Amino acid sequence: MSLSRNIIISAFIALATTVLFQNQLRDSVITTIAFVNHYATSNNLYPFAAQTDQTVNTNHNQHQHPDHHLVVTEMSVQRAIRKVILAVEQAEGAGARVRRSIGTPQLRNFTPFLMLDHFSIKPGAGFPDHPHRGQETITYLLEGGVDHEDFAGNRGTLSAGDLQFMTAGKGVIHAEMPRQNADGSANVGLQLWVDLPKELKNCEPRYRDLRAAEIPSIDVDDSRVTVKVISGQSHGIDSVKDLAYTPVWILDITIRPGGKITQPLPKNWNAFAYTLEGDIIVGKEDQRRVVEQFHNIVFEPEGDIVHFEVDAGASKPARLTLIAGIPLDQPIVQYGPFVVTSKEEVAKALFDYQTHSNGFERAKDWKSEIGKSMRH
């Protein structure tokens, strides 16, 4: 009897809430859809999209970085290429241009990775005030500068070579706007969205910056290859900080003509490489494949190593970012900038955002200073 009464009471409360707040819910949906249409292209709108890529069951121990240096041995198995995707340039935000490779119909929710954008922001463009919930964003600035401001009063600037790791957690609203370079040049970088483990999706937002001067690097193959160890490890060199809740490796690799590198990766982690400059030979022997600039190379999870080289007769060096992360065994339900694990949580995120509650309290009447140039 008590159970039946509780069910009836819960149902009544849910119905009453819907009736009482129907206008707010309607406004929430309308406002958020309008925002999402402004902030993200249709390729990044996945209303109630379920995860389609393979996940690997994980346990507590696998959610850690390896506790020893990974090395290449005669027994190391080469990872095969699953697919190669051209990152086609498209409009994004307010006047920005991006090349998106993860977060498209070709590669959606490659756990734990949700989106990868290679962005170019010229003066007068940018990413004005917008929310996030349930993910981490990693911004790696390659050229120029980008200013950042959020509704909690956090502000900062990224310069070339710097990174920012932002944990959205239960909710954040911020703006990312380009520096106005004297020569009018664009500000260029990478932004990676990483899913948060379900148990951390309601954590407090946080920021961690990594300056270019803090990033260790190592030269290998008689200095024909340089590796910046942003996160993770390479050839006995460890990164200086653990900056994200979800374990991720990020290596920035420059290969000069004739150079080659074989890089171990943690077992069963999902991994990809994005080609920033030049033509790169991926794989050895019968798996060799030439990949051009602006492509995402997605690797199979089986295997221990990946191999890259540049032809000795190449006219210039090549550059790529190699990124790997622990797969999360959980659903991915994404609606624009909200990344949760169920349809009900999407509705709640919309409601919380519109009513300034449950993580979005500080959003009421807040407008960024750096976003003023984009407001009319």
Side-chain angles (χ1 to χ4, degrees):
M1 190 70 178
S2 176
L3 176 61
S4 299
R5 184 170 64 250
N6 288 341
I7 292 173
I8 293 171
I9 292 172
S10 298
F12 176 78
I13 292 173
L15 179 61
T17 301
T18 301
V19 172
L20 289 172
F21 295 103
Q22 59 182 323
N23 291 332
Q24 289 96 324
L25 285 168
R26 184 186 65 247
D27 292 343
S28 174
V29 172
I30 292 172
T31 300
T32 304
I33 289 176
F35 159 73
V36 171
N37 284 334
H38 173 72
Y39 171 63
T41 67
S42 59
N43 281 340
N44 195 37
L45 290 180
Y46 308 139
F48 311 145
Q51 177 173 329
T52 57
D53 287 272
Q54 180 183 6
T55 60
V56 176
N57 289 329
T58 57
N59 57 39
H60 177 73
N61 290 333
Q62 286 177 301
H63 278 264
Q64 308 297 324
H65 289 278
D67 58 3
H68 61 282
H69 285 136
L70 302 182
V71 296
V72 180
T73 70
E74 293 182 356
M75 301 298 291
S76 297
V77 177
Q78 184 177 188
R79 287 196 182 204
I81 296 174
R82 177 187 298 182
K83 62 172 71 173
V84 176
I85 301 166
L86 172 64
V88 178
E89 190 175 48
Q90 62 187 52
E92 177 74 4
R97 305 291 296 178
V98 304
R99 293 181 177 274
R100 179 170 298 160
S101 53
I102 300 176
T104 69
Q106 291 181 288
L107 188 60
R108 183 175 294 177
N109 297 338
F110 181 48
T111 179
F113 308 114
L114 304 165
M115 188 186 79
L116 177 68
D117 279 354
H118 184 187
F119 63 80
S120 177
I121 319 172
K122 291 185 178 180
F127 301 99
D129 305 1
H130 59 275
H132 290 275
R133 171 178 278 185
Q135 80 272 58
E136 298 185 286
T137 66
I138 301 172
T139 304
Y140 182 22
L141 198 64
L142 303 174
E143 300 174 24
V146 170
D147 295 323
H148 168 270
E149 180 185 352
D150 77 0
F151 68 174
N154 298 302
R155 304 185 67 160
T157 297
L158 295 181
S159 300
D162 294 345
L163 292 97
Q164 181 192 78
F165 291 68
M166 183 193 79
T167 302
K170 64 182 181 180
V172 69
I173 298 180
H174 71 160
E176 299 157 296
M177 302 299 294
R179 180 182 298 165
Q180 304 300 307
N181 299 322
D183 61 358
S185 61
N187 302 276
V188 180
L190 297 173
Q191 186 167 90
L192 178 69
W193 288 17
V194 182
D195 200 11
L196 275 171
K198 184 177 181 178
E199 62 271 18
L200 293 176
K201 284 188 177 288
N202 288 319
C203 70
E204 290 294 328
R206 71 172 188 177
Y207 298 88
R208 291 189 173 186
D209 290 342
L210 181 64
R211 299 300 175 184
E214 298 178 286
I215 301 172
S217 65
I218 184 171
D219 290 331
V220 299
D221 193 24
D222 294 329
S223 297
R224 288 177 292 193
V225 179
T226 300
V227 183
K228 294 182 181 179
V229 185
I230 295 168
S231 179
Q233 58 177 248
S234 181
H235 295 78
I237 299 297
D238 294 303
S239 57
V240 295
K241 299 179 181 178
D242 281 336
L243 298 166
Y245 281 127
T246 302
V248 172
W249 282 20
I250 304 174
L251 305 176
D252 183 341
I253 303 173
T254 299
I255 308 174
R256 298 162 191 87
K260 59 185 65 175
I261 178 173
T262 300
Q263 174 64 44
L265 294 173
K267 284 185 177 296
N268 296 325
W269 284 28
N270 279 335
F272 66 90
Y274 181 75
T275 55
L276 289 165
E277 300 173 17
D279 296 341
I280 296 172
I281 300 169
V282 184
K284 295 189 288 187
E285 299 171 352
D286 60 339
Q287 296 189 39
R288 286 166 61 92
R289 177 171 177 177
V290 178
V291 180
E292 299 176 340
Q293 186 181 26
F294 304 139
H295 283 76
N296 191 320
I297 307 152
V298 183
F299 295 100
E300 296 287 0
E302 297 82 14
D304 310 299
I305 58 172
V306 290
H307 179 84
F308 307 100
E309 58 185 87
V310 170
D311 189 88
S315 60
K316 60 181 181 180
R319 184 181 181 188
L320 63 97
T321 53
L322 177 60
I323 300 176
I326 183 78
L328 301 178
D329 185 23
Q330 63 189 34
I332 298 174
V333 184
Q334 179 175 353
Y335 196 99
F338 304 128
V339 184
V340 289
T341 58
S342 70
K343 297 178 183 180
E344 292 75 18
E345 289 174 327
V346 169
K348 186 177 187 303
L350 292 169
F351 184 80
D352 292 345
Y353 173 56
Q354 181 64 22
T355 59
H356 311 124
S357 57
N358 298 315
F360 292 107
E361 291 84 353
R362 290 171 289 192
K364 188 176 182 180
D365 300 324
W366 179 81
K367 288 181 172 57
S368 68
E369 290 295 319
I370 63 174
K372 284 183 176 179
S373 62
M374 303 301 299
R375 294 194 287 269
H376 301 287

